[in-house]
Structures are given as C-alpha cells and as structure tokens.
C-alpha cells in the first residue's frame, strides 16, 4: 500500500470533540535518555567560554576562510553543548525531570544525536552517540564511519568530513502520547534540534551542509539503530571536506546489541502507520527549476500587494546567542501588549536568514510557506498575512482580529489570544508531493521545526515569550485561513510580550 503524505496528514488531524485520545499508560512510558549498557562513556571536556556574539550576527555568519586548523575535541564539546543540553530540573511525582535547550512537543524528546568523527584532535576516529544526560559520548564504532557511507549523501563522492552529525528520532517516545499524529512531532522536534546545530556551527564559523536527503537504509544501518523504532531524519557534515580515509570500521558491540538500544520501554505499542509513512517518505523527486514558491499554491487571494518591510537598524537583544540557547523555555504567560515594530522586523529578519541558508544552490530543500497572524504589533493592522522571505515582504490576506479565532482553533489554548503574533507554517501537500516527491513532507516539517527553534531563540534574546503549538484542530485552522483543499497548517509558533516584560515597561 502506498501512503500519500496528504493522507497521513489528514488521517492524523484533530477535530473538535474527537481528539482520538486515550489515557496515558505510565507502565509503558518511554525512557527519555538512550543508553548503551556495557559501553564506556567518554566524558566531553568542560566548555570554559561560549561565543559572545548576538543571534543577529550568528544567523548571518559564514565559515572562516580556508586553512582552519585541525578540529579538537574541545570544539566538538562546544558544538554539542550549544546544540543539545539539559537546562532545568523539575520534580514530577517524586521523580526528577530535566528540560532541555531544544523545545519538544509534550517534552517527550524523541530525538537523538550521533557524530561520526575523523581526524579530530583528542578523540579516536569513530561513530559516537551523544548522551545528553551525561554530556558524554559513547563509542559505537571505531574507524572512519563516513567511509562506509560513500554514495549515501548528496554531497561530494569520496569525501569524509571531520564531523558528520546524524539526527535521529525514536518513534515510540512521542507516539506513546500522540499516537499516529506523533510522526509530525518527530519531524518538527528534530527540526528544532537541527537548527540549534546549524547555529552552533555558524557561531563557531565552521563550514557545514545540512541535508534531509540520504540513503535511509545505509545510514540507519551505519548508525546501528533499529529502523522499526529509530530512524535518521537529518545529517550535517561539518568542518570541511577531507579526502576519504580507508580505515577499517569495527563495532564496539554486536550490531544486534547496539540496535536493541533503540528500544525505550519494556512494552512498546508502536504505530505501524508511522513506520509505513516514514518508509513512504523515503522517495524524492528532483524539482524542476525554478523552485516552486509554496505561498503561490495555498489558494489564497491577497487583499493587498506585498510590501517590503523596513530593515531593522539593530535588534533589541538583551543577551548573547549562547545565553539565549541556555535560557530558552516555552512561555504561556503572555500579556496583550503591543509589540514595538523593531521587534517585529527583527523576528522577520530571522526568518529571512534561515530561508536564505536553505536556498544555497547545493542543497535545494522544500520549504513551507510562512504566514503571520498579527494580533497587536505597532504599525501593522491585525489580520492574516503571508510573508515572502525572498523579498522580506508582507502581504495582507484578510484583516481582522483573527488571533482569537486562531487560539480557538488551537484546542482553545486561550493564553494564545494574548500573543502579539502567531507564526504559521503552511504547505500544499499535493503540490509538495508532485514537485519534491513524498520526501518533501520531511523537508517542510523539519524546516518548520528549524524556523520554530530560531524564533524561540530570537524571542528569548529579545526577552519576549514564545511557544510552539502542534495541537490544533486542523480543519478549523485551514478554514480560518481560507486555504484550498490540499493545503494545511503544519505548525504554529506564538510570540509576544510576557508579564515580566510589561512590568519592566516594555524592555
Ligand atoms: C512541535 C512542538 C509542538 C508543541 N505544541 C505545544 C502545544 O500545543 N501547547 C503547548 O502549550 N506547548 C506546546 N509545545 C511546547 C512544549 O510543551 C515544550 O517545548 C516542552 O514542554 C518543553 O518545555 P520547554 O520548551 O520550556 O523547554 C510544543 C513544542 C513543540 C516543539
């Protein structure tokens, strides 16, 4: 049976009075930390100082010019810490629970991070799993793992970069709670992690290529994950393209034992629909040039022309990029205070920067259309707008106080009414499948997640609140926006002033 991506998305929609829910079975709750019993952990060296740059410069930063010195393990430790770390501890039901630098639907953290290392000072060549719990690496395979993956990636044949990051997702972690809808969150959450990785590499001025396209079977096999449970969703090569080495690759443990580590509960009621959908999305088509703009395919009639936004003179940031990574949290205590225009244009510039990175010629990716529902923003009338990041311009689709309707469509999460704006990530899934093939679904969802994480960090750096929203009544949301029958809301991110911000007099 071939699953169309639109069918997956439609069948996992939420409808009012029918969330298809069931109680959570605490007896089958998944472990949030992946471990490899019996394998030693290599602690990562402590990171003594972080980059002081602001996010507004990091997002535009390019790699240092040729001739960079050999990478050392300290640099890898810093990349990893800026990508994924524990940031806060809470107690629930007598148990400790750790929040992280990456947002995740329901705090279920389906993603895992692996790194293939070659020629890094202070660390043996091999494939490592990152233990976020211990800030340590577990050696799974020795040797040049990239050499076993020649031809599995879209980038240069026969090259083996010093670092290859693999971002995977363990299906059951999210499907335990969200059932079949969880594949959406696997992709969105992993996109959040991917953006943190991209920004870390940019902050450290390392060249990198992020790709969602690779040979799924070869990569999952090289990672020794159980592909029925855990799959790779994104790969980033970093640190330059060295020539390939031919060292032998050996396993630290039998492949079967390593694969068993993808199991996260004694009893796992997996979702066959998710597995089938993931397999269906392995196929990709090469889109014809020029790349289609998703915003032209949503069936929306504009009320006005697109107007260019003014450039921001400087972003009103109050902390560095690195501080924002460690401080980022989801907020819900928004206050209905008008967002000054300079905050708005800075947030839109963030979208422009991420979008630009995705359209570098070597890695064309399908990207979602970006919309904004404006509730209360200085100099911008309330309403629903489309945003064209290639032009940094905004076009009105429909005027009016839609933010309340939007909160209503988001499972009546009433606090969303108080946001200054809701970012929307949208796609026509029929058009997407025709142009990019079913793999386009992974592209748009992962990219929506990346944009979400960038917005979280931008909001944090400017002391605004932010919260990603994956829970909405899909048909109501599409109706509210006036989307055509094949177009959908993929993800929503609310942003705005918080109570503390308002008490400080808007600073
Ligand atoms: C894809 C995604 C969907 C989310 N959906 C919701 C949502 O519908 N409602 C909500 O209150 N929070 C939502 N969140 C926020 C998560 O609940 C939050 O990230 C998680 O509890 C971890 O807390 P933290 O972000 O403060 O670290 C979502 C986050 C992500 C990444």
């Amino acid at each position: 049976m071939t699953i169309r991506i639109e069918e997956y998305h439609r069948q996992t929609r939420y409808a009012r009075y029918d969330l298809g829910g069931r109680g959570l079975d605490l007896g089958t709750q998944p472990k949030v930390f992946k471990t490899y019993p019996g394998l030693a952990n290599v602690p990562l060296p402590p990171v003594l100082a972080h980059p002081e740059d602001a996010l507004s410069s990091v997002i535009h930063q390019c790699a240092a010019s040729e001739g960079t010195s050999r990478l050392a393990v300290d640099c890898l430790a810093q990349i990893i810490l800026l990508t994924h770390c524990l940031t806060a501890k809470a107690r629930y039901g007598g148990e400790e629970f750790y929040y992280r630098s990456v947002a995740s639907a329901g705090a279920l953290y389906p993603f895992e991070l692996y790194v293939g290392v070659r020629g890094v000072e202070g660390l043996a060549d091999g494939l490592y799993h990152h233990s976020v719990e211990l800030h340590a690496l577990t050696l799974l395979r020795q040797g040049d793992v990239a050499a076993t993956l020649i031809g599995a990636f879209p980038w240069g044949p026969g090259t083996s970069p010093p670092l290859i990051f693999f971002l995977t997702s363990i299906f059951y972690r999210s499907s335990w709670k969200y059932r079949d809808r969880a594949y959406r969150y696997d992709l969105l959450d992993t996109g959040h992690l991917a953006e943190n990785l991209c920004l870390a590499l940019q902050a450290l001025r390392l060249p990198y290529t992020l790709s969602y396209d690779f040979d799924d079977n070869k990569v999952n096999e090289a990672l020794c994950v159980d592909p029925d449970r855990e799959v790779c969703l994104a790969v980033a090569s970093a640190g330059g393209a060295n020539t390939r080495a031919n060292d032998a690759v050996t396993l630290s443990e039998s492949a079967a034992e390593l694969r068993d580590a993808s199991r996260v509960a004694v009893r796992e009621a997996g979702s066959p629909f998710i597995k089938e959908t993931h397999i269906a999305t392995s196929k990709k088509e090469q889109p014809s040039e020029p790349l289609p703009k998703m915003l032209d395919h949503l069936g929306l009639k504009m009320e006005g022309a697109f107007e260019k936004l003014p450039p921001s003179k400087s972003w009103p940031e109050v902390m560095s990029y690195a501080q924002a990574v460690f401080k980022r949290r989801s907020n819900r205590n928004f206050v209905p205070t008008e967002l000054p225009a300079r905050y708005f244009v800075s947030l839109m510039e963030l979208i422009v920067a991420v979008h630009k990175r995705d359209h570098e010629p070597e890695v064309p990716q399908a990207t979602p259309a970006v919309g904004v529902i404006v509730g209360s923003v200085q100099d911008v009338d309330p309403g629903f707008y489309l945003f064209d990041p290639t032009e940094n311009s905004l076009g009105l689709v429909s005027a009016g106080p839609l933010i309340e309707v939007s909160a209503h469509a988001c499972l009546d999460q009433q606090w969303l009414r108080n946001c200054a704006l809701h970012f929307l990530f949208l796609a026509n899934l029929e058009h997407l499948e025709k142009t990019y093939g079913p793999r386009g679904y992974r592209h748009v969802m992962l990219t929506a997640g990346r944009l979400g994480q960038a917005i979280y960090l931008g909001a944090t750096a400017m002391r605004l609140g932010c919260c990603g929203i994956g829970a909405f009544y899909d048909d109501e949301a599409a109706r509210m926006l006036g989307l055509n029958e094949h177009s959908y809301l993929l993800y929503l991110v609310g942003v705005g002033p918080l109570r503390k911000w308002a008490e400080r007099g808007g600073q």
Side-chain angles (χ1 to χ4, degrees):
M1 184 184 66
T2 321
I3 294 169
R4 295 179 59 82
I5 52 177
E6 191 174 357
E7 187 185 323
Y8 168 76
H9 205 80
R10 282 194 70 73
Q11 286 201 18
T12 56
R13 64 193 191 270
Y14 280 159
R16 203 171 278 276
Y17 314 118
D18 180 17
L19 292 180
R22 58 164 180 209
L24 288 179
D25 178 0
L26 295 179
T28 58
Q29 186 167 4
K31 289 187 293 173
V32 287
F33 296 123
K34 186 175 187 185
T35 53
Y36 289 89
L39 291 190
N41 291 310
V42 184
L44 282 163
V47 179
L48 302 176
H50 285 296
E52 287 174 9
D53 313 64
L55 181 64
S56 51
S57 38
V58 170
I59 54 159
H60 298 297
Q61 242 152 247
C62 299
S65 51
E66 287 300 307
T68 41
S69 52
R70 197 174 155 205
L71 281 177
V73 66
D74 308 64
C75 177
L76 176 60
Q78 182 154 47
I79 298 168
I80 291 181
L81 198 69
L82 287 166
T83 302
H84 190 198
C85 64
L86 307 180
T87 51
K89 187 163 84 172
R91 284 194 86 81
Y92 296 114
E95 302 259 330
E96 281 179 350
F97 183 85
Y98 290 89
Y99 287 91
R100 311 199 189 172
S101 52
V102 183
S104 160
L108 294 167
Y109 307 110
F111 39 71
E112 294 290 335
L113 181 67
Y114 300 78
V115 59
V117 167
R118 177 167 174 265
V120 169
E121 219 174 288
L123 199 62
D125 289 0
L127 173 75
Y128 296 82
H129 169 257
H130 171 235
S131 161
V132 65
E133 185 183 17
L134 306 172
H135 186 52
L137 296 176
T138 312
L139 181 63
L140 307 180
R141 309 185 71 165
Q142 281 162 357
D144 181 8
V145 171
T148 66
L149 285 169
I150 299 304
F153 304 120
W155 56 74
T159 61
S160 176
L163 299 172
I164 305 190
F165 294 92
F166 301 89
L167 284 61
T168 69
S169 189
I170 298 182
F171 297 140
Y172 183 64
R173 288 231 182 96
S174 325
S175 69
W176 170 68
K177 177 170 181 187
Y178 296 117
R179 305 171 83 184
D180 290 343
R181 192 174 170 100
Y183 189 55
R184 299 180 180 207
Y185 303 135
D186 289 319
L187 295 167
L188 292 169
D189 285 4
T190 306
H192 275 259
L193 178 70
E195 184 59 17
N196 262 12
L197 174 62
C198 292
L199 290 170
L201 294 167
Q202 288 195 195
L204 300 173
R205 296 184 171 276
L206 291 170
Y208 71 92
T209 308
L210 173 75
S211 181
Y212 310 141
D213 296 329
F214 42 84
D215 182 324
D216 289 347
N217 293 335
K218 272 196 186 164
V219 171
N220 291 333
E221 205 175 297
L223 295 178
C224 296
V225 294
D226 175 351
D228 284 340
R229 296 189 161 88
E230 179 177 2
V231 293
C232 187
L233 294 174
V235 179
S237 76
N242 298 346
T243 30
R244 175 161 69 89
N246 284 316
D247 356 359
V249 179
T250 53
L251 291 175
S252 301
E253 187 112 5
S254 81
E257 272 168 285
L258 293 177
R259 271 199 294 275
D260 207 42
S262 296
R263 175 186 283 282
V264 288
V266 183
R267 277 181 299 124
E268 291 178 356
S271 155
F273 193 28
I274 289 182
K275 267 186 249 166
E276 284 161 21
T277 304
H278 181 70
I279 291 168
T281 58
S282 60
K283 277 207 245 87
K284 182 172 181 232
E285 304 290 334
Q286 202 53 41
S288 55
E289 299 281 344
L291 296 177
K293 261 190 189 176
M294 187 57 81
L295 59 80
D296 293 332
H297 295 272
L298 304 172
L300 296 172
K301 286 205 186 68
M302 312 294 295
E303 269 192 23
F306 274 90
E307 283 181 36
K308 228 177 173 50
L309 290 174
S312 73
K313 291 194 188 77
S314 67
W315 292 22
E317 289 154 293
V318 295
M319 64 183 84
S320 71
Y321 139 76
Q323 285 168 324
V325 169
F326 302 128
K327 269 196 168 310
R328 183 218 61 80
R329 290 301 303 277
S330 296
N331 312 99
R332 296 167 187 91
N333 55 338
F334 294 95
V335 285
T337 302
E338 183 179 78
L339 185 72
R342 65 189 199 286
Y343 288 79
F344 180 68
V345 293
S346 304
L347 287 167
M348 301 320 276
E349 271 185 18
L350 192 59
I351 304 278
V352 171
V354 176
H355 181 82
K356 216 165 164 184
R357 233 196 277 148
D358 284 345
H359 284 75
E360 286 159 7
E362 47 179 327
V363 263
Q365 290 176 356
T367 45
V370 181
V372 226
I373 293 185
V374 169
S376 184
V377 174
Q378 185 188 9
D379 300 336
V380 189
D381 292 332
F384 167 37
Y385 296 79
L386 278 181
F387 180 63
D388 183 350
T390 51
E391 304 290 335
N392 191 22
S393 61
L394 206 59
L396 179 65
V397 182
S398 48
L402 278 173
I403 204 121
E404 293 179 12
V405 187
S406 180
H408 185 56
C410 292
L411 268 57
D412 288 300
Q413 301 182 73
Q414 290 300 337
W415 46 271
L416 281 167
R417 297 154 64 117
N418 292 337
C419 290
L421 66 148
H422 293 171
F423 279 99
L424 312 168
F425 302 106
L426 311 159
N428 178 325
L429 295 182
E430 186 190 56
H431 167 73
L432 181 69
E433 186 155 357
K434 271 194 199 140
T435 48
Y436 285 88
R439 201 161 186 123
Y441 188 64
R442 297 192 198 171
H443 284 220
V444 290
M445 294 296 276
L446 284 156
T447 302
R450 286 184 37 226
L451 288 161
Q453 183 73 10
I455 294 169
Y456 261 104
L457 295 180
T460 309
M462 294 187 251
R463 212 185 265 134
L464 296 172
C466 182
C467 192
I469 300 293
F472 41 80
Y473 301 120
D474 297 74
D475 291 348
E476 282 187 28
R479 259 198 311 277
M480 160 186 83
L481 301 170
L483 303 177
N484 61 21
E485 65 164 315
H486 298 294
S487 295
Y488 301 85
L489 172 63
L490 308 176
Y491 188 33
L492 182 150
V493 180
V495 180
L498 297 173
R499 203 170 305 133
K500 277 184 298 191
W501 194 84
E503 282 162 11
R504 279 196 197 100
Q507 293 301 317

